[in-house]
Amino acid sequence: MTTTLKKPQRSARKPKGDGHMRRGEILQAAERIFLAEGYQGATIRKIADEVGVSSTALYMHFRDKDEILLEICDSAIQLLLKQNSEISARPIDAVARVRLMLDAYITFALENSNAYRLVFCAEGGMVSEDKQTATEALGDLCYDKFVGAVREIGASGRLRTGTVESAAQAMWAACHGLVALLLTKPNFHWAPTSELRGVLLDGLFYGLVTD
Amino acid sequence: MTTTLKKPQRSARKPKGDGHMRRGEILQAAERIFLAEGYQGATIRKIADEVGVSSTALYMHFRDKDEILLEICDSAIQLLLKQNSEISARPIDAVARVRLMLDAYITFALENSNAYRLVFCAEGGMVSEDKQTATEALGDLCYDKFVGAVREIGASGRLRTGTVESAAQAMWAACHGLVALLLTKPNFHWAPTSELRGVLLDGLFYGLVTD
DNA sequence: GCGCTGGGTGATTGCCGTTTAGTAGCCTTC
DNA sequence: GAAGGCTACTAAACGGCAATCACCCAGCGC
């Protein structure tokens, strides 16, 4: 009880955390909560509490909540981009590269489900539209890498149907649909995930690409 | 100023709206707002205002907000179910029936985008999980009709790969992915929708079904 | 010493869904 | 025809949310 503190035990004000290091702390805390509890679960207050700072303080470092979470998503998507770059540099058949990319995409989505949802399923009040621009640019880079490989397939005349763009987008859409449904409806009586992936990709390639 | 009213001009209380007719009014107002502004835009207060009633009154007729909106979705999905039933009764090739169903599914999703989103993309704070049970049952019926047709294809040995379940789910997922992305990212440089639909479905059928 | 500035604060605003406690009017039942 | 009860309704409030406001204070260059 007897307080030996000069200042009464009051504010416990967090010391300055000079410069951008506080920013990193916030991102770290936000990431923990966001990954565990998703977009709605990661509230400004919870993040601030975890850092040990008032909720207002977060607005010193970020414009709003979405800026925090999108920055987290950015670094997740960087990972996907890196994978795509790495794959597109491999000296193997373009078809194999496209397949590897789609496979990596699915794995990425399932492993980074909350980031994936925020970026690719965001709607309904989240992330109003334009704020995503930075993140979307990253996504576009991933898409470009992917389309580049599909274009090679098209250039060698092995696209069974559609244009390069429509074939690429159809492949993307199909994979997105699989992971989106798996994430959204985890309780549905799905066939084993690996089988689903196989059937979808096999069918897609057989249907869109000639040997 | 001089009020000639017995009761001061106060409550303008909405008369009883006896029985379930008020319920219908609420659903109608909710549907208007929900279709125009989506899940987040359709707030309890806005709906109540539109009906001309206090927000509390809505809780006389519905357990919570989700019950209102899901009931709207239910009637939308009934439509899809009706289409699927009608298609599955047609005396045509099973492959053609499956294709018609998927095509109807895509059209349905694009035309009832808010209902579709709520039922098939619901996540992030919406519709916490179990509340969807009634709606999900309807969705399952649609899926069953669909799987029935796919099963016929499988029974006649024309499934190029996968089991009946995995092939059906892959087809569903692919179509879901297309509409989900089109709805979520309307500003992306998509190929013309009709071409995308065509390429996706053609590829899928060519890849999963043998003549 | 002085003032500026950047990181910090508590209180407040304006939404939201939902709950509580109470009320107005009809329907029985005596 | 009064008493009681039921049903549809209400205003006010609660707790949570993102975001803003007006202020505070330590450290720095001068």
Side-chain angles (χ1 to χ4, degrees), chain A residues 13 15-16 22 53-54 56-57 60-61:
Chain A
R13 182 186 189 139
K16 275 222 146 176
R22 175 59 37 91
V53 101
S54 80
T56 320
M60 299 292 114
H61 305 280

Side-chain angles (χ1 to χ4, degrees), chain A residues 3-209:
Chain A
T3 138
T4 53
L5 303 163
K6 308 173 200 168
K7 312 228 164 191
Q9 82 287 22
R10 85 168 217 48
S11 87
R13 182 186 189 139
K14 197 95 189 261
K16 275 222 146 176
D18 55 321
H20 44 292
M21 132 172 185
R22 175 59 37 91
R23 191 185 161 93
E25 272 183 87
I26 294 171
L27 281 172
Q28 219 174 308
E31 181 164 11
R32 264 197 303 280
I33 300 178
F34 175 58
L35 295 191
E37 310 186 35
Y39 181 82
Q40 311 264 356
T43 69
I44 289 280
R45 287 163 162 79
K46 259 193 241 172
I47 298 169
D49 275 3
E50 182 123 337
V51 178
V53 101
S54 80
S55 63
T56 320
L58 271 60
Y59 291 93
M60 299 292 114
H61 305 280
F62 301 91
R63 196 157 30 86
D64 56 22
K65 171 179 168 172
D66 289 336
E67 193 173 291
I68 302 177
L69 297 188
L70 281 177
E71 192 156 325
I72 293 171
C73 292
D74 280 4
S75 56
I77 294 200
Q78 299 262 15
L79 229 107
L80 181 64
L81 178 57
K82 204 176 136 212
Q83 286 181 333
N84 268 9
S85 304
E86 192 257 313
I87 292 169
S88 81
R90 287 200 207 167
I92 55 176
D93 184 41
V95 174
R97 268 177 284 142
V98 169
R99 173 123 192 187
L100 279 175
M101 284 190 204
L102 289 177
D103 217 59
Y105 183 86
I106 294 174
T107 302
F108 169 83
L110 295 177
E111 283 178 355
N112 304 268
S113 57
N114 275 315
Y116 185 82
R117 268 199 278 253
L118 189 54
V119 175
F120 292 105
C121 309
E123 47 91 23
M126 298 172 173
V127 204
S128 44
E129 10 191 272
D130 45 335
K131 280 193 250 172
Q132 271 201 309
T133 45
T135 313
E136 242 156 27
L138 273 174
D140 286 354
L141 286 179
C142 293
Y143 177 76
D144 289 345
K145 290 271 176 219
F146 173 63
V147 148
V150 176
R151 177 160 295 117
E152 284 181 56
I153 301 179
S156 62
R158 290 195 292 164
L159 228 44
R160 211 189 58 79
T161 181
T163 64
V164 168
E165 284 286 335
S166 63
Q169 290 173 7
M171 288 180 186
W172 175 28
C175 293
H176 168 73
L178 182 62
V179 294
L181 280 181
L182 287 174
L183 293 178
T184 304
K185 305 219 162 292
N187 296 320
F188 189 76
H189 50 274
W190 297 111
T193 307
S194 61
E195 187 188 334
L196 269 178
R197 285 169 79 139
V199 170
L200 184 68
L201 288 177
D202 283 350
L204 221 45
F205 275 85
Y206 192 91
L208 292 178
V209 178

Side-chain angles (χ1 to χ4, degrees), chain B:
Chain B
M1 343 216 122
T2 80
T3 138
T4 53
L5 302 163
K6 306 175 201 162
K7 313 232 163 189
Q9 81 288 24
R10 82 172 219 47
S11 87
R13 181 186 189 138
K14 195 99 187 253
K16 275 222 146 173
D18 54 321
H20 45 292
M21 131 173 186
R22 175 60 37 91
R23 192 185 160 92
E25 272 183 87
I26 293 171
L27 281 172
Q28 220 173 306
E31 182 165 10
R32 264 196 304 281
I33 300 177
F34 175 57
L35 295 190
E37 310 185 36
Y39 181 83
Q40 311 264 358
T43 70
I44 290 280
R45 286 165 163 82
K46 258 193 240 173
I47 298 169
D49 276 4
E50 182 123 337
V51 178
V53 101
S54 79
S55 63
T56 320
L58 270 59
Y59 291 90
M60 300 293 111
H61 305 280
F62 301 91
R63 194 158 32 84
D64 55 25
K65 172 179 169 173
D66 290 336
E67 193 172 292
I68 302 177
L69 298 187
L70 282 177
E71 193 156 323
I72 293 171
C73 293
D74 280 4
S75 55
I77 294 200
Q78 299 262 13
L79 229 107
L80 181 63
L81 178 57
K82 206 178 134 207
Q83 286 180 332
N84 267 10
S85 304
E86 192 255 315
I87 292 169
S88 82
R90 285 199 209 167
I92 55 176
D93 183 40
V95 174
R97 267 178 283 141
V98 168
R99 173 125 191 183
L100 279 175
M101 283 189 204
L102 290 177
D103 216 60
Y105 182 86
I106 293 174
T107 302
F108 169 83
L110 296 178
E111 284 178 356
N112 304 270
S113 56
N114 275 315
Y116 184 81
R117 268 198 277 254
L118 190 54
V119 176
F120 292 104
C121 309
E123 46 91 24
M126 299 171 170
V127 204
S128 43
E129 8 191 271
D130 45 334
K131 281 194 248 174
Q132 272 200 311
T133 44
T135 313
E136 242 156 26
L138 273 173
D140 286 354
L141 286 179
C142 293
Y143 177 76
D144 289 344
K145 289 273 177 216
F146 173 64
V147 148
V150 175
R151 178 160 292 115
E152 283 182 56
I153 300 178
S156 61
R158 290 195 290 163
L159 228 43
R160 208 189 60 77
T161 181
T163 64
V164 168
E165 284 287 335
S166 62
Q169 291 173 5
M171 289 181 187
W172 174 28
C175 293
H176 168 73
L178 182 62
V179 295
L181 280 182
L182 286 174
L183 294 178
T184 302
K185 305 220 161 290
N187 296 321
F188 189 76
H189 51 273
W190 297 111
T193 308
S194 61
E195 188 189 333
L196 269 178
R197 283 169 80 139
V199 170
L200 183 68
L201 289 177
D202 283 350
L204 221 46
F205 275 85
Y206 192 91
L208 292 178
V209 178
T210 62
D211 64 287

